[in-house]
Amino acid sequence: MYKVLEVLTADEVARCREIAASAKFVHGRITNPHNTAKDNEQLHDPAVYNQSAQLLHQALMRSEDFRNFAFPTAIAPPLITRYNPSQHYGLHTDMAYIVLPGGTLRSDLSCTIFLSDPETYEGGALQVQLGDAAMSFKLPPGHAIVYPSDTFHQVEQVTSGERLVAITFIQSRVPDPFKRSLLYTLNEVAALEGLGMDPTNYSRLQLVQQQLLRIWGEKP
Ligand SMILES: O=C(O)CCC(=O)C(=O)O
Ligand SMILES: [Fe+2]
């Protein structure tokens, strides 16, 4: 399942662009030397990385739709990356485990938060494969796409302009995608209809949601 979310305010997009404009970037292969598919640049300066990661992490966690969809238990510090003309990221799937200073995260879901205006660069869509077809995402600034980390995906070559995004990886309390998707459907019903429902039936719905989470969710 794929989910498009609006996560950043216009001010937050502006702040991320400001940070990127003055920060030092390095080639993406520096942290991933064996990955020949990867041809992009990533934010390097640790202080600036912390600052932008905090802003982006808070914005994601503020989104009720994100929480309802992903059931996040850990989020890798979001990293600002950019693609200049001729750069791309070839077809790949993401690493299962990501080692972070605070522990290791299992990547169940991957996420790209778009920061550039789509009109300002050519190419650079994120393509996520779905069997023999591919879905293509080139979203407005502040919008995010969340997709399963085990799907083949690629960033098509940028032919003009600059593609600025932030990427992150999410560990979910519900690792099984089918169970997570069912729980998301219940969450949506509760979020959209909950206030209008008969209170006893709303309580029943909440019971089912919470009980399935107890059964299917990983223990804290
Ligand atoms: O830039 C993107 O949209 C995705 C990048 C990517 O696939 C990755 O960093 O693993
Ligand atoms: Fe990826």
Side-chain angles (χ1 to χ4, degrees):
M1 245 245 269
Y2 307 89
K3 186 76 195 155
V4 172
L5 303 157
E6 198 178 333
V7 293
L8 299 180
T9 64
D11 280 353
E12 288 168 335
V13 171
R15 182 75 196 112
C16 289
R17 287 180 186 169
E18 224 173 72
I19 287 172
S22 59
K24 184 175 172 337
F25 278 72
V26 292
H27 197 276
R29 217 168 283 152
I30 284 181
T31 50
N32 215 337
H34 303 299
N35 188 349
T36 52
K38 190 174 184 181
D39 180 14
N40 63 8
E41 293 180 351
Q42 62 194 42
L43 194 72
H44 191 56
D45 186 337
V48 176
Y49 180 19
N50 275 344
Q51 212 184 344
S52 53
Q54 216 171 64
L55 182 159
L56 291 158
H57 182 280
Q58 275 170 11
L60 273 174
M61 285 308 287
R62 192 175 62 210
S63 163
E64 190 183 0
D65 218 13
F66 172 73
R67 286 182 271 117
N68 282 345
F69 175 76
F71 299 88
T73 51
I75 302 180
L79 174 65
I80 294 180
T81 67
R82 77 179 172 204
Y83 293 70
N84 293 311
S86 90
Q87 293 196 301
H88 77 293
Y89 198 148
L91 199 65
H92 67 282
T93 59
D94 293 326
M95 303 280 282
Y97 295 100
I98 297 171
V99 180
L100 297 167
T104 297
L105 169 149
R106 186 193 58 239
S107 179
D108 296 314
L109 294 163
S110 302
C111 172
T112 298
I113 304 171
F114 289 79
L115 297 171
S116 301
D117 236 304
E119 290 83 44
T120 61
Y121 62 104
E122 277 174 63
L126 170 67
Q127 289 182 357
V128 187
Q129 294 211 341
L130 192 64
D132 291 337
M135 310 246 279
S136 193
F137 300 95
K138 188 168 173 177
L139 301 175
H143 285 60
I145 168 72
V146 183
Y147 59 99
S149 303
D150 63 352
T151 46
F152 276 101
H153 57 277
Q154 62 184 323
V155 178
E156 63 177 29
Q157 190 176 64
V158 170
T159 53
S160 74
E162 178 191 274
R163 174 190 195 260
L164 192 69
V165 298
I167 54 151
T168 187
F169 305 94
I170 299 138
Q171 180 169 316
S172 176
R173 179 163 310 288
V174 188
D176 182 309
F178 301 105
K179 291 173 179 164
R180 194 188 319 122
S181 166
L182 282 176
L183 284 170
Y184 174 54
T185 303
L186 289 178
N187 283 352
E188 275 193 307
V189 173
L192 296 171
E193 304 290 338
L195 291 177
M197 277 170 89
D198 169 87
T200 308
N201 286 335
Y202 184 47
S203 298
R204 288 186 174 121
L205 172 60
Q206 287 184 309
L207 166 68
V208 175
Q209 287 177 287
Q210 296 306 313
Q211 203 59 358
L212 287 178
L213 253 186
R214 284 191 185 93
I215 298 167
W216 288 343
E218 286 184 333
K219 310 297 167 265

